[in-house]
Amino acid sequence: DTAVSQTPKYLVTQMGNDKSIKCEQNLGHDTMYWYKQDSKKFLKIMFSYNNKELIINETVPNRFSPKSPDKAHLNLHINSLELGDSAVYFCASSHRSGTGFYEQYFGPGTRLTVT
Amino acid sequence: EDKVVQSPLSLVVHEGDTVTLNCSYEVTNFRSLLWYKQEKKAPTFLFMLTSSGIEKKSGRLSSILDKKELFSILNITATQTGDSAVYLCAISSNTGKLIFGQGTTLQVKP
């Protein structure tokens, strides 16, 4: 009965590699997000998709590319990983109405360590 | 630049105490203010506030928003050790983006 799930939970990889993180939600939401939480626990938005359309694209290196095959899935692909990419990446989802967005529900996070 | 500031950054109390966490903000397109609790993993949703002066309550937790003074408070009464966590305040803009504060780390001692 998991609401927002992410895989993998942990990812350890070397600099220069390419990796992907997957996110799925079964809440019936139409909007999904990627956030990065750094070592100081500060959460920052990276991307958001509404009905498979990119609606938020923050100042993120173009080595990061999100992909949303359908409303229930949002994946994050990272090319040429760098040490500074080490962080916890959270996926979230929410419902969008005509007047705005409802509360976001977060996945368990993926801890990425680049060595 | 949009900004959310929480205070205090950390707090240590004993079980049974009452705590008040603060969140002030400066944002261009305000839609709502949200509170989350983060223990070891994912932030879990507590409250969403859109109107001034209306208190939201859930058990021992309550929160209120002041849109004129641009702040919100989160109160926890009769604290328990299970309340130990990082409490995050966030503003939702009209694009759905959440802008988070740096969090308040609460430790409740037995």
Side-chain angles (χ1 to χ4, degrees):
Chain A
D1 60 347
T2 306
V4 183
S5 59
Q6 293 179 229
T7 53
K9 288 198 168 65
Y10 300 95
L11 189 50
V12 181
T13 189
Q14 291 185 326
M15 280 175 61
N17 284 348
D18 302 339
K19 289 293 176 188
S20 290
I21 307 172
K22 294 187 175 183
C23 178
E24 178 180 1
Q25 54 94 6
N26 62 6
L27 295 167
H29 290 161
D30 53 10
T31 309
M32 296 183 73
Y33 311 80
W34 278 112
Y35 288 85
K36 180 180 180 181
Q37 189 170 44
D38 61 25
S39 55
K40 292 182 182 174
K41 305 291 187 186
F42 193 62
L43 261 168
K44 195 159 183 215
I45 183 80
M46 298 173 71
F47 302 103
S48 173
Y49 273 76
N50 173 254
N51 282 323
K52 301 194 295 174
E53 180 189 347
L54 182 67
I55 58 171
I56 297 174
N57 186 355
E58 292 291 291
T59 311
V60 174
N62 57 15
R63 298 180 295 103
F64 289 79
S65 52
K67 277 197 175 60
S68 181
D70 55 57
K71 286 195 305 184
H73 296 85
L74 180 62
N75 303 323
L76 183 65
H77 188 75
I78 316 170
N79 287 327
S80 304
L81 277 154
E82 300 178 358
L83 292 176
D85 297 332
S86 295
V88 181
Y89 292 84
F90 285 101
C91 175
S93 73
S94 73
H95 178 61
R96 180 183 188 180
S97 73
T99 55
F101 293 82
Y102 289 88
E103 62 274 14
Q104 294 178 24
Y105 291 89
F106 284 78
T110 295
R111 182 175 292 278
L112 171 65
T113 304
V114 183
T115 61
Chain B
E1 187 187 335
D2 294 340
K3 195 164 63 172
V4 179
V5 177
Q6 293 185 243
S7 64
L9 290 181
S10 66
L11 195 50
V12 180
V13 300
H14 287 95
E15 273 193 314
D17 288 349
T18 293
V19 297
T20 298
L21 309 183
N22 303 295
C23 176
S24 63
Y25 62 91
E26 293 173 30
V27 292
T28 314
N29 292 300
F30 176 91
R31 280 288 181 178
S32 57
L33 184 145
L34 296 92
W35 285 97
Y36 285 85
K37 177 183 181 182
Q38 186 174 26
E39 296 173 86
K40 297 216 167 134
K41 292 194 175 178
T44 52
F45 172 72
L46 295 174
F47 298 112
M48 183 164 80
L49 303 141
T50 52
S51 302
S52 276
I54 300 172
E55 186 184 50
K56 291 230 172 166
K57 240 176 126 56
S58 176
R60 295 175 295 102
L61 277 66
S62 63
S63 183
I64 198 159
L65 172 66
D66 185 329
K67 288 167 76 172
K68 187 179 170 191
E69 300 296 330
L70 308 183
F71 80 91
S72 173
I73 58 171
L74 175 68
N75 276 323
I76 310 174
T77 58
T79 51
Q80 301 171 357
T81 53
D83 295 327
S84 297
V86 176
Y87 289 84
L88 297 166
C89 172
I91 299 297
S92 178
S93 69
N94 56 358
T95 62
K97 172 167 90 170
L98 286 183
I99 303 157
F100 280 89
Q102 68 275 59
T104 293
T105 300
L106 173 65
Q107 185 185 357
V108 181
K109 292 187 170 180

